[in-house]
Amino acid sequence: MHELTVSPWASLAYLVAGVCFILALRGLSSPASSQRGNRFGIIGMTIAVVTTLVTHVPFVQHLLVSDSGPAIAVRTIDWITVVEILAAIGVGAAIGLITARRIAMTAMPQLVAAFHSLVGLAAVLVGVAAYLNPQAFGISDLVIPLIGQPFAVIHPVSRIELGLGVAIGAITFSGSVIAFLKLNGTMGGKPIMLPGRHVINIALLAAIVGLIAYFVTDQSAWIFWTITLLSFVIGFLLIVPIGGADMPVVVSMLNSYSGWAAAAMGFTLHNSAMIITGALVGSSGAILSYIMCRAMNRSFISVIAGGFGQSSDAGGPAAASDRPWKRGSAEDAAFLMSQAEQVVIVPGYGMAVAQAQHVLREMGDKLKAEGVRVKYAIHPVAGRMPGHMNVLLAEANVPYDDVFELEDINSEFAQTDVAFVIGANDVTNPAAKTDKTSPIYGMPVLDVEKAKTVLFIKRSMGGVGYAGVDNDLFYRDNTMMLLADAKKMVEDIVKALD
């Protein structure tokens, strides 16, 4: 059995952990303070974990029998369980440490989606354990009927918490698995439109809500397992119809779901640290999703409903060979940028794939040495997750003052001599402003086509962006295509600048 100790020092420790989490979120809002934010997060989580372990020490009860008197009940620490808990923590820590050290920056979005799925699955497993053994969680009263075996009646409020926690956790798990498969390329990035998906989703959501309400009055097993199963199904259905261009918003939204799942389980476990942390993650993820939806001209409600994916023609308006385009070399690019007054660099997922951020910073430094103003333009959804490009540029020690968001830099392209695009396809596509049939229509994009010259690094003319559409920018008169691996091309440009 577990001894639950709720003491003033434990409440204070959880409060300190919550403050650390708030400071962590604040620090992570800017690349300049992100390291400090990570440290606060580590400190807060350490305090929360240690406090939980100390206040939930497992005990076993023995009867001490003596010849001189009655048997005495003695409690001792259950060291076997303690070792099991510490071993599980050790295994998890080892997996996290090895993964963090080995994971490539290009796979970071997949890793985030995978972590979200684990949070969702953990919420489901905790909910299942609490349902099967509610007395161990302190959420039930033992009822002994006149005839039959005693059984545990779960408190009505706890049934609501269980139902919500399991439902949100299951949605987070299955939705994150689909997001991982799409981001990893295992599943195609194009939306999968099921017939009548909106009716199906609404019906399933209504059924889940109705069953949770019914679960308050009847804790039958079939209700609990049906809620769990339907939630797994709708998590799958919500993410499948979402296209590649909108995946950064999906990652952010799933982050919010994982927070709310953790908060719901915090109530079940009577753990204020989980409630605080879950609420922080859930609310911050929802706010970030809302901001990103505004940046993409998407409806926040449609994101929650999972219905804003659109079908697209992967071939684009015309094949690359059917339209004239200009090809340049590293020497051409070096000459044009060295003669410019201002160069705006637009990084995208292609830069992440090629791991070109370090040599890109070197190129920027060389241009600055020749008197060229160099700025970096970041689209809110460039890459595969929120802040993907900011993380890569920070890793390469690009000065924070040189990095600008879309709304701050877009007006400068008309006065820019060279826009240097490295693997940013969908977020620079002018069709988003003109082609109503395009799946990215209405999404604010970087106005790179207004620059005097656009240099666009791309592996070949045959590929399309993650949204599955061709980019009209490739065929503009002021665009010069630099066809090569992004890192190799930038390295050649650096050599040509010497």
Side-chain angles (χ1 to χ4, degrees), residues 41-42 68 96-97 150 189 274 282-283 288 322 346 377 388 477 489-491:
I42 293 171
S68 58
L97 181 62
M274 282 188 67
S283 57
L288 177 59
D322 295 335
V346 182
H388 197 179
D477 292 335
M489 175 58 71
V490 179
E491 286 175 343

Side-chain angles (χ1 to χ4, degrees), residues 245-263:
D246 299 319
M247 286 309 294
V249 181
V250 174
V251 173
S252 175
M253 204 65 219
L254 289 171
N255 178 52
S256 178
Y257 290 166
S258 68
W260 297 124

Side-chain angles (χ1 to χ4, degrees), residues 113-273:
F115 281 168
H116 290 163
S117 72
L118 293 178
V119 174
L121 183 60
V124 173
L125 294 178
V126 170
V128 170
Y131 177 75
L132 296 178
N133 191 7
Q135 285 183 288
F137 290 80
I139 60 172
S140 71
D141 296 318
L142 187 64
V143 175
I144 303 178
L146 295 176
I147 301 176
Q149 296 294 324
F151 62 92
V153 177
I154 301 175
H155 301 151
V157 173
S158 296
R159 295 185 198 180
I160 297 175
E161 297 162 0
L162 270 180
L164 289 175
V166 168
I168 300 173
I171 292 171
T172 304
F173 172 74
S174 55
S176 297
V177 169
I178 299 301
F180 171 85
L181 295 176
K182 283 177 172 283
L183 290 167
N184 199 46
T186 308
M187 177 183 290
K190 295 181 65 175
I192 300 175
M193 298 300 181
L194 300 177
R197 66 186 185 281
H198 295 299
V199 175
I200 295 173
N201 289 346
I202 292 174
L204 286 175
L205 284 173
I208 292 171
V209 173
L211 285 171
I212 292 175
Y214 188 40
F215 187 55
V216 177
T217 61
D218 185 353
Q219 66 179 59
S220 297
W222 74 267
I223 302 175
F224 178 82
W225 294 114
T226 303
I227 292 171
T228 306
L229 177 61
L230 292 181
S231 299
F232 278 125
V233 172
I234 197 168
F236 168 82
L237 295 177
L238 286 174
I239 307 302
V240 161
I242 297 177
D246 299 319
M247 286 309 294
V249 181
V250 174
V251 173
S252 175
M253 204 65 219
L254 289 171
N255 178 52
S256 178
Y257 290 166
S258 68
W260 297 124
M265 286 300 104
F267 283 103
T268 299
L269 296 173
H270 307 292
N271 189 302
S272 57

Side-chain angles (χ1 to χ4, degrees), residues 291-355:
I291 293 172
M292 294 180 68
C293 285
R294 291 188 61 184
M296 295 175 65
N297 195 30
R298 301 298 197 221
S299 166
F300 183 70
I301 300 300
S302 67
V303 174
I304 299 175
F308 63 96
Q310 301 180 37
S311 60
S312 61
D313 179 9
S321 59
D322 295 335
R323 305 173 68 182
W325 53 277
K326 293 187 295 185
R327 180 168 186 169
S329 64
E331 291 73 18
D332 297 329
F335 175 77
L336 288 170
M337 287 192 289
S338 64
Q339 300 300 311
E341 291 185 5
Q342 175 167 294
V343 173
V344 176
I345 299 172
V346 182
Y349 189 64
M351 182 192 74
V353 171
Q355 290 288 283

Side-chain angles (χ1 to χ4, degrees), residues 435-457:
D435 185 3
K436 294 184 178 181
T437 64
S438 173
I440 61 173
Y441 178 73
M443 182 179 80
V445 293
L446 291 161
D447 297 332
V448 295
E449 76 278 2
K450 294 181 180 180
K452 294 178 182 178
T453 302
V454 178
L455 300 176
F456 203 115
I457 297 182

